[in-house]
Amino acid sequence: MRPMSVREMDALCYERGIEFDPAEVPAELHEMAPVIAGHPAWDGHSAAQQLHEQRLAERRERRRIPEWFSARDLVIEPWERELLPAA
């Protein structure tokens, strides 16, 4: 079980209208600690930030070179030179 950070405790107290003092942790926080510890910590990304990151990932995926493509496809083979128009 991970310990709650001071920010998490402060946010919980603020949500419940409790005055928060880090020196004296309210009894309500002690009661909520087991429930809160089971949830993952907030990663700091808003919904807009997550959507932005998802769109960036999708763009990167679209720009990626397909696996079926080979650089050898661009090399002109000797028998193909005959088919090219004379410059």
Side-chain angles (χ1 to χ4, degrees):
M1 177 162 82
R2 68 174 176 77
M4 285 195 301
S5 70
V6 175
R7 286 185 178 180
E8 287 175 317
M9 289 188 278
D10 186 36
L12 286 171
C13 288
Y14 178 78
E15 287 175 356
R16 286 159 177 73
I18 305 168
E19 185 67 31
F20 178 68
D21 179 13
E24 299 175 15
V25 178
E28 289 182 39
L29 284 181
H30 285 291
E31 294 168 5
M32 289 186 285
V35 175
I36 294 166
H39 295 286
W42 181 60
D43 63 357
H45 295 286
S46 65
Q49 179 67 22
Q50 289 175 348
L51 183 60
H52 174 71
E53 290 174 359
Q54 179 183 355
R55 287 180 179 162
L56 287 177
E58 289 170 358
R59 285 183 200 146
R60 269 187 244 115
E61 182 65 25
R62 283 194 303 261
R63 279 192 231 132
R64 194 175 55 82
I65 298 171
E67 293 178 9
W68 54 263
F69 179 78
S70 171
R72 292 209 26 91
D73 294 338
L74 300 176
V75 176
I76 299 174
E77 297 292 339
W79 62 86
E80 294 176 327
R81 290 185 187 154
E82 298 170 0
L83 301 175
L84 292 175

